[in-house]
Amino acid sequence: MQQVNTPTNRNVRVASSKLKALVCRIFVYNGLPGDHAEIAAHALVKASLRGVDSHGVARVAMYCERLRRKVTNPRPEITVARVTPAVAQIDGDNGLGLVVGNCGMNEAIAIAKEFGIGLAGVKRSGHYGMAALYILQAIEANCIGMAFTNASPAMAVWGGRKPFLGTSPFAAGAPSGSGPPFLIDMACSVVARGKLKFAAQRGEPIPEGLALDKKGRPTTDGQAAFEGVVLPFGGVKGSALSMLMEVLSGVLTGAAFGGDVRNPFTGLDGFQGTGHFFMALKADAFMPLEQFKERLGTLAARAKAQPPAEGVDQILMPGEPEALTESERSENGIPLTPDVVASLMAEADLADISIDFT
Ligand SMILES: NC(=O)c1ccc[n+]([C@@H]2O[C@H](COP(=O)([O-])OP(=O)(O)OC[C@H]3O[C@@H](n4cnc5c(N)ncnc54)[C@H](O)[C@@H]3O)[C@@H](O)[C@H]2O)c1
């Protein structure tokens, strides 16, 4: 039986290295080989470090439940086929999306090193977490990266009233000389569905334009919204972008699509069937790398020097809020709420691992 030493009713701060070691051991207990467990633990702790708590260590239990129910393959034989010199088709063998996604971007980068640009289409994967992970991989290799995924139905198609499209994040970024890298990572929904759940639990209203109720009527009632459907951001534009990700990640790659990707929490009767699409382009494709980085630095400096709108302290580049959070949390530890601590304790308990969160 594990030793538990933790306060259960208040937030605690835990060093990322300690959290990563714990998550890695939990994944190994659930059948992952050591190198895959390392990739998955890095992915979740990195999301928590960057303040993307919805896709960080709070999700360990979700991934483990799928492994226990055998609807994620812990030891996939991931195969890579070069279908043209610069395009790879990857079969994830229903492995953990965090691991298969890592392999997909690695392959796109390897091709880009050879040909300047590399594309990888991935089928038979699962929920791949915070999309910024794959862009950071590309940036580390001095590439411009793009990462698309499809996802289980959660959002209405424009004009519809039932969950159909995924909230699929659009992610892209590039290395920059000074300051954090340029990094866009945004879901296609106007708001995370989790926020509707909080409003419903607290009986709070929500702003207009976020959701429809069950009958397809706009609502500001938190509960009705949670029972209904979240809307795409930017109206028809968010819907169109999510559809593009279905085309590239689902239709093109041979993955599930059009409502067939299983929900990572509730779709426990089979593999998810998720698809991804990765692009890496060498950042020095048109000019020396340092010149590219300097020019991107100039763009950032000019944007940040714009006169701020009323109520705005400072103008930030995409990716900067998360980079600022990462530097604060690297120093002070990752804050974990009592429910996240409880879920990690439950997983550690199953794996007979002693933990100390004090
Ligand atoms: N794998 C999946 O199926 C899936 C599905 C949905 C969401 N997600 C993940 O959920 C996470 C959260 O997504 P989100 O849409 O809520 O992100 P968000 O709204 O917090 O951020 C979106 C983007 O806006 C930028 N940004 C935010 N504030 C800014 C500011 N003040 N100035 C300049 N830029 C700013 C961020 O850097 C980010 O690039 C993402 O990591 C995403 O990958 C994953």
Side-chain angles (χ1 to χ4, degrees):
M1 199 51 193
Q2 56 140 344
Q3 311 277 308
V4 175
N5 188 4
T6 179
T8 51
N9 57 358
R10 63 179 171 83
N11 286 7
V12 289
R13 288 261 183 178
V14 182
S16 60
S17 53
K18 189 170 168 179
L19 208 46
K20 187 174 160 194
L22 170 67
V23 175
C24 196
R25 286 182 69 191
I26 290 173
F27 278 129
V28 167
Y29 172 79
N30 282 285
L32 260 64
D35 54 341
H36 286 189
E38 181 79 20
I39 292 169
H42 165 80
L44 297 182
V45 172
K46 187 75 169 173
S48 293
L49 258 181
R50 288 172 59 82
V52 185
D53 294 312
S54 55
H55 289 71
V57 297
R59 294 243 177 170
V60 170
M62 176 199 92
Y63 291 110
C64 288
E65 183 63 13
R66 297 197 66 84
L67 288 162
R68 280 193 288 271
R69 299 224 187 196
K70 303 194 186 325
V71 288
T72 294
N73 178 0
R75 292 179 174 259
E77 286 184 23
I78 303 170
T79 54
V80 180
R82 287 271 182 109
V83 288
T84 81
V87 180
Q89 185 174 28
I90 297 178
D91 182 334
D93 195 20
N94 297 306
L96 208 60
L98 303 167
V99 173
V100 179
N102 180 281
C103 171
M105 183 51 99
N106 265 343
E107 190 58 24
I109 293 167
I111 299 172
K113 295 280 173 200
E114 226 178 312
F115 297 104
I117 186 165
L119 297 177
V122 182
K123 64 177 178 179
R124 298 211 302 157
S125 184
H127 188 274
Y128 81 177
M130 173 185 74
L133 287 165
Y134 312 101
I135 307 305
L136 288 167
Q137 249 178 283
I139 287 171
E140 202 154 303
N142 283 321
C143 287
I144 293 168
M146 289 181 80
F148 296 164
T149 185
N150 63 2
S152 55
M155 190 175 82
V157 63
W158 189 243
R161 67 180 165 99
K162 290 206 170 247
F164 174 67
L165 292 171
T167 55
S168 317
F170 176 98
S176 71
S178 58
F182 169 67
L183 206 173
I184 304 172
D185 176 13
M186 55 185 197
C188 281
S189 53
V190 66
V191 68
R193 209 176 120 74
K195 291 187 184 156
L196 302 182
K197 189 175 169 188
F198 284 140
Q201 283 166 346
R202 293 184 195 138
E204 288 171 2
I206 57 161
E208 273 176 35
L210 302 192
L212 303 178
D213 69 12
K214 277 194 292 205
K215 293 191 171 158
R217 298 171 301 198
T219 183
T220 55
D221 180 296
Q223 182 62 33
F226 183 59
E227 288 168 10
V229 68
V230 65
L231 288 168
F233 79 79
V236 68
K237 297 175 188 180
S239 175
L241 210 51
S242 178
M243 193 76 85
L244 168 72
M245 283 186 268
E246 270 286 53
V247 173
L248 293 177
S249 307
V251 177
L252 174 74
T253 63
F257 67 95
D260 290 342
V261 173
R262 285 188 174 81
N263 184 292
F265 291 98
T266 57
L268 297 171
D269 59 337
F271 297 120
Q272 278 196 272
T274 317
H276 320 302
F277 179 85
F278 298 102
M279 185 208 77
L281 167 68
K282 279 180 78 191
D284 62 358
F286 299 105
M287 64 188 72
L289 182 64
E290 286 318 309
Q291 197 182 347
F292 170 81
K293 288 183 173 179
E294 198 186 306
R295 285 165 64 82
L296 185 48
T298 301
L299 172 67
R302 288 184 189 168
K304 289 167 73 65
Q306 290 300 301
E310 194 179 305
V312 174
D313 287 338
Q314 60 167 325
I315 291 169
L316 301 173
M317 286 293 278
E320 209 176 337
E322 291 81 6
L324 289 168
T325 303
E326 180 167 358
S327 80
E328 186 275 317
R329 290 186 175 188
S330 297
E331 196 162 316
N332 302 319
I334 295 172
L336 300 180
T337 54
D339 57 322
V340 173
V341 168
S343 81
L344 288 172
M345 280 168 58
E347 290 301 327
D349 196 18
L350 284 174
D352 206 14
I353 299 169
S354 299
I355 48 174
D356 180 354
F357 280 143
T358 50

